[in-house]
Amino acid sequence: MVDITHKNTTLRTATAQAIVKVSSQNTITALENKTVPKGDVFAMSKAAGLLGVKKTPELLPDCHPLPIEFTGIDFVIDGLEIKVLVTVKTIYKTGVEVEAMHGASVVALNMYDMLKPIDKGIEIHHIKLIEKTGGKSGFKDKFRRDLKAAVIVCSDSISAGEKQDKAGKAIIAKLENSDVAILDYISIPDEVAVIQEKAKYYQSQGADLIIYTGGTGLSQRDVTPEALKPLLDRTIPGIEETIRKYGQDRMPYAMLSRSVAGTIKNSLVLALPGSTNGARESMDAIFPSLLHVFGILKGARHD
């Protein structure tokens, strides 16, 4: 199965359809009047569809078991066609489009099974996804494409050439995957004055994002938060909380990180952990949805 442990939990919805076409108006009349010998076709087919949605991962090997938090099944009669519409919702890490399509298929098959004694010409058509929302793909077209970032590695050993940087490179990989251009990538020692000077410099150079990695722990040389906080016009606690919650769900020491998020004028400043996993997971926690902030800073609405 595909690894989804890095994904964020969001509200995800999907609507799928199936078309059941009968060969006689008499079949439609029997459906509407509930005179089909096998019983109430709509009620029975809804029940079958609910089971189909719930049992999707039992039948399709690569589908993840997930919490189904809503399923709605509707029917629309148009001439000799009955359109089946199945909507599924979950709050989880992966979408429900396959569950919705499977539910629509099962509804259509149950209708076929119940109607075949009175109609030998039934056909099933156009099983397809109508709409899906939620997850990264639901927001990918809502962000600016002209953003620039400076990535600053705060480490005495890396800046002295005694150690190779991996955390900064993990951050750059996520930025590039989110279509953010890299304005600069440097290593500096854990010195308050140097950290502050770089923030001021890159803000003056028009950097949209200024991302520090390292110096957010509790050792004597971890001074990145102390250096940055006096420079921030506003802090953004929600970003900090999201980073720590995401990390804590994966390892118990994330609560010790002192990640920082805030703005200097129209530049967003982040201070992330210096470990490779900590930096990567912090970026996974907040990207690409974090990029919405640049529309808000320009006066865009949240919706």
Side-chain angles (χ1 to χ4, degrees):
M1 299 172 73
V2 175
D3 185 358
I4 60 171
T5 56
H6 64 287
K7 291 189 174 184
N8 289 300
T9 296
T10 60
L11 171 62
R12 299 167 188 263
T13 67
T15 299
Q17 76 161 32
I19 303 294
V20 178
K21 185 176 182 180
V22 302
S23 63
S24 169
Q25 182 59 41
N26 292 333
T27 305
I28 298 296
T29 301
L31 268 172
E32 294 176 326
N33 293 337
K34 300 182 181 181
T35 57
V36 175
K38 286 192 173 185
D40 187 334
V41 175
F42 288 142
M44 290 288 288
S45 297
K46 277 190 176 184
L50 293 176
L51 291 174
V53 169
K54 293 176 182 178
K55 291 184 174 293
T56 301
E58 296 180 24
L59 300 173
L60 300 179
D62 199 41
C63 281
H64 295 80
L66 48 75
I68 301 297
E69 300 185 76
F70 171 79
T71 300
I73 301 174
D74 297 296
F75 302 93
V76 179
I77 298 175
D78 182 10
L80 297 182
E81 292 185 346
I82 305 105
K83 179 186 289 186
V84 178
L85 292 170
V86 176
T87 298
V88 181
K89 297 182 181 181
T90 186
I91 299 177
Y92 198 59
K93 300 176 183 179
T94 189
V96 284
E97 57 266 34
V98 174
E99 285 76 8
M101 293 176 71
H102 187 230
S105 302
V106 172
V107 171
L109 284 170
N110 190 76
M111 294 180 70
Y112 176 91
D113 180 59
M114 294 185 72
L115 293 172
K116 68 183 186 210
I118 63 171
D119 192 333
K120 303 302 182 185
I122 300 171
E123 299 174 352
I124 296 173
H125 298 277
H126 305 304
I127 298 170
K128 65 179 182 179
L129 181 68
I130 299 297
E131 181 184 25
K132 61 173 288 191
T133 62
K136 182 171 66 174
S137 62
F139 300 97
K140 66 180 181 180
D141 295 325
K142 297 184 179 180
F143 306 127
R144 286 172 50 193
R145 290 289 185 267
D146 59 344
L147 300 174
K148 299 175 292 184
V151 178
I152 305 165
V153 180
C154 296
S155 168
D156 292 332
S157 58
I158 291 174
S159 64
E162 299 169 0
K163 184 180 176 183
Q164 291 292 316
D165 167 58
K166 294 182 180 179
K169 291 177 180 176
I171 290 171
I172 288 172
K174 189 70 173 183
L175 289 170
E176 291 176 340
N177 189 53
S178 300
D179 297 324
V180 177
I182 307 304
L183 178 65
D184 205 355
Y185 163 51
I186 62 169
S187 300
I188 62 173
D190 291 299
E191 298 288 351
V192 170
V194 179
I195 293 168
Q196 291 181 335
E197 187 273 327
K198 294 302 178 185
K200 295 174 184 176
Y201 171 74
Y202 287 116
Q203 190 280 320
S204 70
Q205 294 300 302
D208 299 289
L209 272 162
I210 305 170
I211 304 180
Y212 292 82
T213 175
T216 62
L218 292 167
S219 75
Q220 291 299 313
R221 295 291 289 169
D222 288 333
V223 295
T224 306
E226 286 73 21
L228 292 177
K229 284 182 178 179
L231 304 181
L232 300 177
D233 300 324
R234 290 181 292 181
T235 59
I236 312 176
I239 295 175
E240 302 168 1
E241 293 159 7
T242 297
I243 289 171
R244 279 187 279 274
K245 172 63 168 62
Y246 186 95
Q248 192 69 21
D249 285 343
R250 287 154 179 80
M251 64 92 69
Y253 303 144
M255 63 183 176
L256 302 178
S257 175
R258 299 183 300 130
S259 296
V260 172
T263 58
I264 302 175
K265 296 183 180 178
N266 282 342
S267 295
L268 177 65
V269 180
L270 303 176
L272 306 182
S275 70
T276 305
N277 280 343
R280 181 184 297 114
E281 289 176 358
S282 296
M283 294 293 286
D284 285 341
I286 58 179
F287 275 78
S289 52
L290 172 99
L291 300 179
H292 182 58
V293 74
F294 297 105
I296 300 303
L297 288 172
K298 294 288 187 180
R301 292 167 54 90
H302 278 291
D303 55 2

